[in-house]
Amino acid sequence: NDILKAPNNSLLLIDEPEISLHPSAIYRFKHFLLKQCLEKNHQIIITTHSTQIVRDFPREAIKLISKIDNEIKIIENIDFQDAFYELGDKIYDKKMVFVEDKLAKYIVDFIIKKENRQNWNNNIEVRYLPGGAENIIKNHIMSLALQEQDNCLFLLDGDKKVDYSQHSSIIKFEYLSDKEKVESSKIPKSDNQALDDIIKEMTGMNIHMNVSGSKGKSNENELIEAQRKFIDFWGNKVKFLPVDTPEKFLAELDNDKQFLGLIQEDKSGKKYFSKKTEASLGIEDITSEDIFAEQKRVVSKINEESNFYKNIVAILEGLF
């Protein structure tokens, strides 16, 4: 009733309308709101945890608000499926490949399309998880490791990869099944007290395992089991791009002599594409989408015979 009475050009704030609506009524309510917007030129802001409400909205209309550690982070221009996976939606039956950003997603999707394997086209879905590598490790990898999910793969940027030979005092040679994989079965029970340090060296960060306990003390056996699950999941389900960052790889692949000095100045490759986009468009007021369009142009240069391409193909083959 309040919506119907609102004067033209109103700003309407609606908090979680799905709470009091039957699922089938949510769609009717959404269409009602859209009709009101068209008729009265309203602007409507909805807070929701309902996929039915957000489904079919353009990316530009969706903002994800999440808490990472003690900071509130707002992520814009996000697909509704990515947003709801971030909020804890279930993983589908497909093989899920999770990457750090939309450029990495575009590159992996490009290679899948280039390979044109029916099995891959039908059974692999690539998603990027907002919030950066630390957020992915703490909130997603840890969660799926404890659930022992088998139909997923995390493909992180190469700058997150740890050379275990440089940490041999913690990650002993006898723990490895090869130079790049720690196996919990190779860690003796006598070294259980070192599991936390092993995980810290593997991931580059402190990981807090949520296990049950009493009076502030965690269940030691449950903690050890969780730590060993995490170690095995990391070894089997966490892989790395064969380059430090997608931006740096593409900048070096593009190899525009006018901007080569920027690669040395900023090894992430981001400054290269910022300046290259400004030059291509002839303007300084560029957007992230302008930069992304320039990066996508360079992705088409990735050669099927290159080590990068072959490495990604091998990682995807490992899913099956």
Side-chain angles (χ1 to χ4, degrees), residues 35-299:
K35 185 179 179 182
Q36 291 296 305
C37 283
L38 290 172
E39 291 179 356
K40 297 186 175 181
N41 199 32
H42 293 326
Q43 183 176 2
I44 301 179
I45 298 175
I46 304 173
T47 61
T48 182
H49 290 82
S50 169
T51 55
Q52 289 103 324
I53 286 183
V54 179
R55 184 186 299 273
D56 303 323
F57 279 0
R59 298 168 63 97
E60 295 81 2
I62 302 172
K63 298 181 189 295
L64 172 65
I65 301 175
S66 58
K67 185 176 182 181
I68 300 174
D69 293 330
N70 291 319
E71 292 186 21
I72 300 298
K73 190 174 183 68
I74 300 176
I75 300 165
E76 301 187 58
N77 194 30
I78 183 172
D79 182 85
F80 87 93
Q81 290 182 324
D82 293 330
F84 276 91
Y85 179 76
E86 173 78 7
L87 293 173
D89 201 16
K90 69 177 183 179
I91 294 181
Y92 299 155
D93 292 333
K94 289 186 175 183
K95 302 288 185 180
M96 304 297 299
V97 178
F98 298 109
V99 294
E100 288 190 42
D101 55 45
K102 64 181 180 180
L103 178 57
K105 170 179 164 55
Y106 186 84
I107 291 172
V108 177
D109 280 333
F110 169 82
I111 292 175
I112 291 173
K113 185 176 181 180
K114 193 90 169 172
E115 283 292 295
N116 195 27
R117 305 187 192 186
Q118 185 175 358
N119 186 34
W120 288 14
N121 293 334
N122 293 338
N123 295 300
I124 298 179
E125 183 173 340
V126 186
R127 290 190 186 178
Y128 75 89
L129 297 172
E134 286 197 10
N135 174 56
I136 293 172
I137 294 169
K138 284 184 176 181
N139 295 316
H140 300 287
I141 293 178
M142 185 176 74
S143 174
L144 297 187
L146 299 186
Q147 296 174 39
E148 298 180 276
Q149 286 283 353
D150 192 47
N151 63 331
C152 62
L153 175 74
F154 289 84
L155 186 54
L156 304 180
D157 288 357
D159 59 5
K160 307 300 186 300
K161 187 175 183 179
V162 174
D163 181 357
Y164 293 151
S165 66
Q166 302 298 313
H167 303 269
S168 56
S169 61
I170 301 296
I171 302 177
K172 300 176 182 177
F173 177 77
E174 55 265 30
Y175 298 165
L176 306 178
S177 60
D178 56 47
K179 291 182 180 180
E180 298 182 351
K181 181 179 175 182
V182 181
E183 281 192 16
S184 70
S185 62
K186 292 180 177 289
I187 304 174
K189 292 181 179 179
S190 58
D191 287 349
N192 278 342
Q193 296 303 314
L195 294 176
D196 192 48
D197 290 332
I198 292 170
I199 291 172
K200 182 178 180 180
E201 297 298 325
M202 289 170 60
T203 63
M205 57 191 297
N206 289 309
I207 304 292
H208 176 70
M209 300 286 170
N210 293 315
V211 297
S212 61
S214 60
K215 295 183 179 179
K217 295 182 178 180
S218 61
N219 182 316
E220 186 174 353
N221 290 335
E222 188 179 343
L223 176 60
I224 290 169
E225 181 183 1
Q227 289 170 328
R228 288 179 173 270
K229 282 182 179 179
F230 183 93
I231 288 169
D232 288 332
F233 188 90
W234 186 270
N236 293 317
K237 299 299 180 182
V238 179
K239 306 296 180 183
F240 300 89
L241 293 173
V243 292
D244 285 347
T245 67
E247 293 90 347
K248 179 184 177 184
F249 165 69
L250 292 178
E252 293 173 345
L253 180 64
D254 191 42
N255 198 36
D256 189 323
K257 294 180 180 179
Q258 183 181 353
F259 303 100
L260 285 182
L262 295 173
I263 299 176
Q264 301 300 322
E265 182 182 334
D266 174 21
K267 295 186 182 298
S268 72
K270 293 181 179 179
K271 185 173 288 188
Y272 175 96
F273 278 106
S274 178
K275 293 299 182 183
K276 180 73 183 289
T277 304
E278 287 179 4
S280 297
L281 298 178
I283 57 175
E284 294 184 0
D285 188 19
I286 58 173
T287 68
S288 60
E289 288 304 312
D290 293 331
I291 295 172
F292 187 43
E294 185 69 28
Q295 292 168 335
K296 288 194 291 185
R297 181 189 62 77
V298 182
V299 170

